[in-house]
Amino acid sequence: MDLDDTAARLGVPVEDIDRVRRLAGDRPSAPLPVKADAPAILARLAVRPDDAAEIMAGWPDLDSTLWTPELRWLLDRSIALVRADLGGHGWLPPGPELPRERGPAWRHLYVYAYLALVDVVRAYHREHGIPDTVSWATLADLGRNLAIDRRMHREGWPVMQSWLTLHARGGLYELGRLQHQRGGTAIALHIPESGPMTPEAVEASLDEARAFFPRHFPDERYTAFSCSSWLLDPQLLEYLPEDSNIVRFQRRFELEPYEEPDGLDGDVEVLRFVFRTLTTPLDQLPRRTVLQRAIVDHLRAGRHWQVHRGRFPI
């Protein structure tokens, strides 16, 4: 293949195409589900009807004029790239950020890759004795993220397309209120947008994880739960009441000395997760909750939010 020509036709940097070619190599891909089965699968993945309709409209049928040879190559090699790291638990971009305004094939290419990997990762789960209910609960984060991306006017997907490779490789599991990511000596906690983060719900999820990982990954040794998030920024204590769920969650952790994380801007992360926007002016953001008012007032005062890391023993 001609890397420069492929990159130009896809409208992405040539080094991004070279990365996919190198990491995927000639490793095996995986087929998409049968198109007739796709609506039921999308429903199990909690994909909303409007997003599902777009995905079905852009389906990569063999006779589809939406799919150029370059797009088909990228889809096939992105699937192979992710599949080659099955069982991995690090951050893994599946491919370059595409110009998604070109249509549903471009907008949802990595969704099709995810769909092709559903059976692959469920087989991995079965090998580890993981119940299918946990598999589907975990994989249904696809629908949640597509809905958030739509709310963000397509601003959110560049992060989400890499995030979702954790689910598709067996690196992350949704157990009750929290998501739990494997790796190292600590289980990394993530907080999906799925309702109140009450202490009771958090504790139940932690208890589930305490039993889950020794049972299904007995060769891995975890001694702590960890988290890296704006939710652990001590500045929140200036604004939120002591009995707030965020404060009670933060109190669980012993924070590490602050170091600015590479590639993460605390202000951007707060806007992404609290308001689901990256471009709305501060004076137009909603102020309905204590947290929303705190975020806006803090930024309007010229101060900045920080992403902190912390942990506590299992």
Side-chain angles (χ1 to χ4, degrees):
M1 64 175 294
D2 185 312
L3 292 180
D4 291 299
D5 183 62
T6 301
R9 291 176 182 273
L10 291 172
V12 301
V14 66
E15 53 267 25
D16 288 352
I17 296 302
D18 185 50
R19 173 185 172 274
V20 172
R21 181 188 61 82
R22 286 185 291 101
L23 292 182
D26 59 358
R27 295 174 174 85
S29 184
L32 269 75
V34 175
K35 187 177 182 180
D37 296 335
I41 295 171
L42 292 170
R44 292 207 72 176
L45 296 174
V47 176
R48 288 173 24 149
D50 46 3
D51 291 315
E54 281 192 5
I55 292 165
M56 296 305 300
W59 196 264
D61 295 308
L62 290 177
D63 59 351
S64 172
T65 59
L66 300 174
W67 286 82
T68 65
E70 295 78 22
L71 278 178
R72 292 187 187 277
W73 175 87
L74 180 58
L75 174 60
D76 179 77
R77 291 299 84 197
S78 294
I79 296 168
L81 186 159
V82 177
R83 184 175 186 175
D85 196 47
L86 187 65
H89 39 69
W91 194 256
L92 182 67
E97 179 184 346
L98 294 173
R100 300 172 73 221
E101 70 280 357
R102 293 189 182 182
W106 299 75
R107 187 174 304 129
H108 296 305
L109 184 140
Y110 297 112
V111 175
Y112 301 116
Y114 190 93
L115 293 175
L117 291 161
V118 165
D119 281 348
V120 173
V121 74
R122 287 178 63 218
Y124 175 84
H125 290 173
R126 287 194 296 271
E127 291 172 5
H128 290 270
I130 294 168
D132 216 29
T133 52
V134 173
S135 299
W136 285 111
T138 299
L139 293 170
D141 205 25
L142 174 68
R144 181 188 292 136
N145 278 272
L146 284 171
I148 291 169
D149 183 55
R150 185 178 286 272
R151 283 167 53 196
M152 293 182 69
H153 306 291
R154 313 295 189 186
E155 296 176 323
W157 191 255
V159 171
M160 295 171 187
Q161 69 185 37
S162 297
W163 160 249
L164 288 164
T165 69
L166 289 168
H167 311 56
R169 287 177 289 145
L172 176 141
Y173 298 90
E174 186 158 330
L175 306 172
R177 182 61 185 87
L178 304 176
Q179 294 164 323
H180 301 258
Q181 181 183 349
R182 298 162 53 204
T185 61
I187 298 167
L189 302 178
H190 302 276
I191 303 93
E193 188 180 86
S194 60
M197 193 172 62
T198 65
E200 295 78 14
V202 168
E203 192 60 37
S205 182
L206 296 175
D207 283 343
E208 195 170 347
R210 290 177 179 114
F212 179 90
F213 288 96
R215 179 184 304 128
H216 301 296
F217 298 97
D219 295 334
E220 299 177 4
R221 296 289 183 265
Y222 296 107
T223 60
F225 291 107
S226 68
C227 187
S228 176
S229 175
W230 62 271
L231 287 168
L232 301 188
D233 189 341
Q235 296 177 106
L236 286 167
L237 303 179
E238 300 175 27
Y239 301 95
L240 302 181
E242 285 290 322
D243 62 350
S244 77
N245 289 334
I246 291 176
V247 170
R248 289 189 285 185
F249 181 74
Q250 188 179 125
R251 296 290 193 200
R252 294 175 179 271
F253 294 86
E254 180 178 345
L255 297 185
E256 300 176 6
Y258 178 69
E259 293 183 7
E260 189 169 345
D262 291 337
L264 279 182
D265 182 306
D267 294 343
V268 170
E269 293 305 296
V270 168
L271 294 172
R272 181 192 309 279
F273 286 100
V274 176
F275 297 102
R276 299 302 186 185
T277 181
L278 302 179
T279 55
T280 304
L282 290 180
D283 60 2
Q284 295 180 24
L285 291 173
R287 298 175 56 88
R288 292 185 292 270
T289 68
V290 174
L291 179 60
Q292 289 175 343
R293 293 191 292 273
I295 300 304
V296 172
D297 291 345
H298 191 84
L299 293 172
R300 293 185 70 175
R303 302 173 69 186
H304 297 283
W305 295 104
Q306 299 174 339
V307 173
H308 281 256
R309 296 184 57 86
R311 61 174 54 210
F312 58 91
I314 286 182

